[in-house]
Amino acid sequence: MSKRKLYLYNPETDNFERYFPGIKDRLKWLGVVLLVGLVIAVGIYVIIFYSLETPTVENLKVENSELRRQYEELDRRIGASMKVMNEIQDRDSNFYRVLMQMDPARVDDAHPDVLTLQGAPTMRNLNDSQLVAQLTGRLDSLDRQLLHQAMSFNTIRDEFKNQQHKIDHIPSVLPINIKDYTMSSGYGIRIDPVYGSHKFHAGLDFAARTGTQVFATADGLVSYADQKTGYGNCVDIDHGYNYMTRYAHLSKILVPNGKTVKRGELIGLVGSTGKSTGPHLHYEVRYKDEPQNPVNYYFMDLTPAEYDEMIIMAENAGHVMD
């Protein structure tokens, strides 16, 4: 095959003359060709990478998105567990230990492996390894907090054995079987169902069928068993140690005034007597004649999960029935 001949136009002679390129010219043209080819190749790569993703890249993006969603869900669940843990610790320090006249639990007194719980990390702008490290750290902190709490409860248990008589006379169980009621109203400021005004509600309203059994929540002496204005058929029990409980709107009173009762003893039946809009039990706990939030007095009756559910129910229930 014959070589291709190159001709260039010469304006001086007004004619095409054969051109013999030198080494430099040949290298120059080769460089231009290579540069153009490189630009075209880069352009094609960019188009393919950003516009025509391969199945592998697309799958990796989907998997990464799913992993991040799982990380966020795990983080949410850890946060919820920490909230329950904080509520248990709060009840430990502000109720159990106060009840036993013990000093509040301090992290300094805990096992050397127990560390304070760190704040929740942000899930954004973290790569996968950082996300795993953050979640692992939070789980470790929760484990340490659980260890600390278990040790604290062991200390309380030992003190409990030394104060058994006092514990027997402090309200610590539900007045109605947990399967027999729904929470109607919690403790605090509520709207009066009759007058429509805001009013302090000194107890909890347990909505239940008429005739549902009502039990004493601690040992004590029945100090009142009769009708009481607004409360209808009412039973008051003096437990000693400055504690008193009230059970109101009963359909029937089953204990006489002056009777000594034990925790769990049947004292009446649910009704709708007195100022009441439906069958329910109005239950109060008083210490030195000051109303207390009854949700803090179920420590012998509820698991931590049930206690957490009770708190949520009591805070959200707003249908006052008396």
Side-chain angles (χ1 to χ4, degrees):
M1 184 177 182
S2 61
K3 293 184 179 181
R4 297 179 60 184
K5 298 178 180 180
L6 179 64
Y7 292 88
L8 296 178
Y9 175 74
N10 187 344
E12 294 181 358
T13 61
D14 192 24
N15 196 9
F16 286 91
E17 299 177 356
R18 187 175 179 182
Y19 174 70
F20 298 92
I23 298 295
K24 291 183 179 181
D25 290 333
R26 291 178 183 275
L27 293 175
K28 179 179 178 181
W29 281 106
L30 180 60
V32 171
V33 171
L34 291 175
L35 179 61
V36 172
L38 179 62
V39 171
I40 294 174
V42 170
I44 293 174
Y45 174 79
V46 170
I47 292 173
I48 292 176
F49 185 82
Y50 289 100
S51 301
L52 303 173
E53 293 182 341
T54 64
T56 301
V57 173
E58 183 64 26
N59 291 339
L60 287 175
K61 285 191 173 184
V62 172
E63 291 178 2
N64 185 67
S65 176
E66 177 63 20
L67 283 174
R68 187 164 289 267
R69 186 194 66 78
Q70 293 178 5
Y71 291 147
E72 292 175 351
E73 174 63 16
L74 181 58
D75 179 72
R76 184 193 65 78
R77 293 175 63 181
I78 293 174
S81 297
M82 288 179 173
K83 181 180 178 181
V84 174
M85 189 72 248
N86 289 334
E87 290 173 348
I88 292 174
Q89 286 183 324
D90 181 69
R91 189 161 63 151
D92 180 332
S93 298
N94 299 316
F95 178 69
Y96 296 150
R97 288 177 174 268
V98 172
L99 183 68
M100 299 291 184
Q101 299 179 351
M102 300 169 61
D103 293 331
R106 297 184 306 169
V107 175
D108 295 341
D109 298 333
H111 190 275
D113 289 340
V114 176
L115 301 177
T116 57
L117 184 63
Q118 302 299 319
T122 177
M123 299 294 291
R124 296 183 175 85
N125 302 321
L126 297 178
N127 59 39
D128 289 347
S129 60
Q130 290 173 322
L131 285 172
V132 172
Q134 291 280 25
L135 293 178
T136 301
R138 297 190 73 191
L139 284 172
D140 288 342
S141 296
L142 183 58
D143 286 342
R144 295 187 183 100
Q145 213 172 8
L146 286 169
L147 172 62
H148 184 196
Q149 193 59 57
M151 294 170 61
S152 176
F153 281 153
N154 287 339
T155 303
I156 293 174
R157 179 196 59 196
D158 295 338
E159 188 65 23
F160 177 92
K161 294 177 181 179
N162 297 328
Q163 300 191 38
Q164 187 64 52
H165 183 270
K166 181 178 181 180
I167 294 301
D168 289 341
H169 288 75
I170 293 178
S172 55
V173 297
L174 290 166
I176 297 182
N177 190 298
I178 194 171
K179 298 179 180 179
D180 293 339
Y181 74 87
T182 57
M183 184 64 67
S184 174
S185 177
Y187 174 90
I189 301 297
R190 297 290 188 269
I191 297 178
D192 189 287
V194 176
Y195 303 111
S197 59
H198 285 81
K199 178 183 177 182
F200 178 73
H201 191 243
L204 296 180
D205 286 347
F206 296 86
R209 293 182 178 181
T210 299
T212 300
Q213 294 181 326
V214 177
F215 306 98
T217 56
D219 296 359
L221 181 71
V222 177
S223 58
Y224 188 92
D226 204 342
Q227 289 192 349
K228 187 186 291 284
T229 302
Y231 290 99
N233 292 331
C234 179
V235 172
D236 290 348
I237 300 178
D238 183 358
H239 302 283
Y241 300 98
N242 296 309
Y243 282 99
M244 186 272 281
T245 55
R246 174 167 293 161
Y247 314 77
H249 309 295
L250 303 173
S251 63
K252 189 174 183 179
I253 296 174
L254 300 179
V255 288
N257 192 34
K259 183 181 188 315
T260 299
V261 295
K262 305 292 281 185
R263 176 183 289 126
E265 185 173 337
L266 181 63
I267 61 172
L269 303 177
V270 169
S272 185
T273 57
K275 179 174 166 285
S276 172
T277 59
H280 73 289
L281 171 70
H282 174 84
Y283 174 65
E284 294 182 15
V285 176
R286 290 179 174 266
Y287 179 71
K288 295 182 178 180
D289 204 31
E290 292 293 328
Q292 309 292 307
N293 191 340
V295 299
N296 292 323
Y297 291 83
Y298 303 132
F299 59 91
M300 293 183 68
D301 210 19
L302 300 178
T303 66
E306 289 172 337
Y307 173 70
D308 184 54
E309 183 179 359
M310 168 68 75
I311 291 177
I312 295 174
M313 290 173 60
E315 290 179 348
N316 295 330
H319 183 203
V320 181
M321 303 183 72
D322 49 43

